[in-house]
Amino acid sequence: MRPDENLYQTLPDGTLKHVHPVSRTEVWTVPSRAHRPFHRPTPPVHDIVPQSPENYCDFCAGSYLRTPPEKSRLIRGRDGVQRLDQLGPDLYDQSQALFRRVANLFEIVTLDYWVKNHGFQPSAEQKRRRQAYWDNPKGRAHVIQMVETKLTFAGYSPDELKGMSDAQKLGLGDAFFFGSHDLIIAGPHYVPGARKDNQYFSSGEMTPGDHREFFRFTLDALRDLQDQNPGVRYVSVFQNWLQPAGASLNHLHKQLVGMDEWGVSIHQAVKAVQANPRLFNEQILGPARKRGLVLAENSQAVALCEWGHRYPTLAIYSKSEKARPEDHSPDELGGLSDLVQACHAATGNQIPCNEEWFFTPRDSKAPLPWHVLIKWRTLNQAGFEGGTKIYINPLSPQALRDKLSPVLLDLREKGRIADMRIAEECGKDSSPLRYDQGGGA
């Protein structure tokens, strides 16, 4: 294992070798690799015919019945943004959703997993909501339609589907009401006034205010998934933007997956802070200040170009004493959201990326700072990486900062991002994170 003082070093030939202090992922940034041919095909761009409501994919406003039953939605009302829970299918088209929460048709951790491995039983309220949806003829047909869609993808033939009773199909739809894998789907598919089919509506295209609602709505779902299933120890929250980053559809959405374990990344982080509670300040934020890698900052959060990642990575850390997202105040949540939205806006809507959330599990006594990673999926890992576990990332953290700083300044000038300090304007505090100061876990 490398000593800590050698976690970030530039060699005489210009090669930067960097290791992440928590994950211990080793990365080399080799100058000559930035100029090698890169042959990822660029999809052709086509004109689109504007539609109102949009109906370009199954997540669009014109396709509400092509996703599982809604658990809730946000709408923009006369008195601001309002949440509508458990709408009947007759009411789907009576309002325009800013965001919708639905079950994932293709679960990662299935309802069957929770029932057979943990003895999960839905609550009386969950059963009541399911029954209410079934009692609506349109709702009953909707559930059956979605189950048939799922079974068709699983290889069932039309004859096999016809041989199943409605009761069997309805039973297979229980995951839509009781499962622990949800989607948070944004309303627009394309940016307003789009004329080309690559003008997708990304997180960076939102206003900072709408992005705060996106975060708040996601946190409501996170809290609900933890409360409704006692077996959930952690909820993986992530966003795959564009198909090269793993998205099934190029329509903005987040995913939340309830898990019965923390996963390797969280275990490593918890073990690391148990050994050194000040780890994130001493080995990440402090060195980031010293190396000039802080990209943006406000009173509630700080964004930096982080080293030791397989892909160019932006890391946004909450400064809150609270270690869990659901415990953050509205201002703390909003400040973190503003920096995440700004990083997406600076990235643009053409770069595939993953947004990943990391936070303290409910059953951990060691507090971790809530932080969000935005990883640019702009390169493919190959045999060298697989054989050595040393990853080649041609864009150094400094180069990423130099690339994005002027973009952020321009976006701030245009009012497309919230007010924040950028690059050299940021503070000098080398220990801004307060997750370890009590009350966080």
Side-chain angles (χ1 to χ4, degrees):
M1 190 68 67
R2 293 175 177 275
D4 288 346
E5 60 268 22
N6 292 328
L7 295 182
Y8 195 94
Q9 57 177 335
T10 301
L11 304 183
D13 76 323
T15 296
L16 173 66
K17 293 186 177 182
H18 43 117
V19 180
H20 195 272
V22 178
S23 70
R24 294 289 169 170
T25 300
E26 183 169 0
V27 181
W28 291 5
T29 298
V30 182
S32 62
R33 294 292 289 182
H35 307 294
R36 75 185 181 99
F38 189 66
H39 299 297
R40 174 174 286 161
T42 302
V45 177
H46 302 289
D47 293 333
I48 60 172
V49 177
Q51 301 176 2
S52 182
E54 289 185 307
N55 198 10
Y56 303 104
C57 77
D58 287 350
F59 288 172
C60 282
S63 309
Y64 287 155
L65 289 174
R66 295 215 299 269
T67 56
E70 286 186 19
K71 296 184 177 181
S72 54
R73 71 165 58 181
L74 293 187
I75 65 169
R76 208 184 304 278
R78 292 180 179 180
D79 299 323
V81 175
Q82 300 174 310
R83 192 175 102 179
L84 305 177
D85 295 325
Q86 309 298 331
L87 282 178
D90 298 321
L91 300 177
Y92 282 2
D93 293 327
Q94 300 303 306
S95 60
Q96 184 173 356
L98 188 62
F99 301 103
R100 296 188 302 136
R101 177 187 170 196
V102 305
N104 193 321
L105 187 60
F106 303 100
E107 301 166 285
I108 293 176
V109 183
T110 66
L111 177 61
D112 196 49
Y113 178 98
W114 292 110
V115 170
K116 292 181 178 177
N117 297 327
H118 292 276
F120 170 77
Q121 292 294 323
S123 67
E125 177 60 19
Q126 288 177 303
K127 291 180 179 179
R128 185 198 66 76
R129 291 172 177 174
R130 178 193 62 180
Q131 190 62 49
Y133 207 85
W134 283 359
D135 289 343
N136 184 316
K138 192 171 183 179
R140 184 182 182 89
H142 180 208
V143 172
I144 290 173
Q145 171 198 332
M146 295 312 305
V147 168
E148 289 179 344
T149 297
K150 183 172 184 175
L151 293 177
T152 298
F153 276 107
Y156 280 64
S157 69
D159 287 341
E160 288 175 310
L161 293 178
K162 289 179 181 178
M164 296 177 64
S165 68
D166 285 355
Q168 288 175 300
K169 294 173 184 176
L170 288 171
L172 292 174
D174 280 354
F176 305 156
F177 303 94
F178 311 147
S180 297
H181 185 169
D182 285 353
L183 304 177
I184 306 296
I185 303 172
H189 187 98
Y190 292 117
V191 299
R195 291 294 181 269
K196 301 293 183 179
D197 64 359
N198 67 343
Q199 294 178 279
Y200 299 115
F201 182 83
S202 70
S203 289
E205 303 295 335
M206 289 185 197
T207 66
D210 282 354
H211 194 268
R212 287 184 175 207
E213 296 293 346
F214 193 19
F215 260 45
R216 183 177 63 81
F217 195 46
T218 302
L219 285 186
D220 287 345
L222 185 153
R223 185 183 297 108
D224 188 46
L225 289 179
Q226 292 180 133
D227 289 346
Q228 74 179 16
N229 186 342
V232 170
R233 297 182 61 205
Y234 190 72
V235 177
S236 174
V237 183
F238 58 95
Q239 176 175 296
N240 300 331
W241 176 245
L242 302 180
Q243 291 181 1
S248 55
L249 296 172
N250 290 338
H251 188 124
L252 180 61
H253 61 284
K254 277 183 170 45
Q255 299 193 51
L256 301 96
V257 182
M259 301 166 58
D260 59 354
E261 58 182 70
W262 297 350
V264 173
S265 294
I266 297 299
H267 268 291
Q268 285 182 312
V270 168
K271 185 177 180 180
V273 297
Q274 285 174 333
N276 177 10
R278 300 286 295 161
L279 174 69
F280 283 90
N281 277 312
E282 292 178 356
Q283 295 196 30
I284 296 180
L285 267 297
R289 298 274 197 210
K290 183 178 179 180
R291 296 167 186 159
L293 299 180
V294 175
L295 181 63
E297 187 171 14
N298 57 31
S299 298
Q300 294 82 27
V302 56
L304 55 104
C305 299
E306 197 166 89
W307 59 96
H309 292 284
R310 302 180 186 186
Y311 305 99
T313 298
L314 303 170
I316 304 92
Y317 286 85
S318 168
K319 296 179 181 179
S320 174
E321 293 181 4
K322 302 299 183 182
R324 298 185 179 93
E326 63 266 34
D327 296 331
H328 278 52
S329 71
D331 284 345
E332 290 170 334
L333 171 62
L336 182 72
S337 170
D338 287 348
L339 290 189
V340 173
Q341 186 271 339
C343 288
H344 279 298
T347 296
N349 63 2
Q350 300 300 302
I351 293 181
C353 59
N354 300 115
E355 177 186 306
E356 303 166 358
W357 292 17
F358 298 86
F359 52 89
T360 303
R362 281 192 171 184
D363 58 346
S364 170
K365 294 181 180 179
L368 309 174
W370 179 23
H371 57 287
V372 176
L373 300 184
I374 299 174
K375 300 178 179 179
W376 290 11
R377 297 292 297 275
T378 51
L379 57 138
N380 294 324
Q381 308 296 340
F384 175 81
E385 288 87 350
T388 65
K389 299 306 178 185
I390 297 172
Y391 298 92
I392 304 301
N393 181 346
L395 189 62
S396 72
Q398 289 97 333
L400 182 60
R401 176 190 177 277
D402 293 344
K403 181 183 181 69
L404 293 184
S405 296
V407 180
L408 283 175
L409 290 167
D410 182 62
L411 290 169
R412 186 179 65 182
E413 178 69 22
K414 292 177 179 177
R416 285 195 50 206
I417 61 175
D419 189 35
M420 62 189 64
R421 299 185 296 279
I422 297 169
E424 288 80 4
E425 302 169 352
C426 295
K428 304 299 182 183
D429 184 2
S430 62
S431 300
L433 308 184
R434 301 188 298 274
Y435 67 96
D436 61 339
Q437 297 181 11

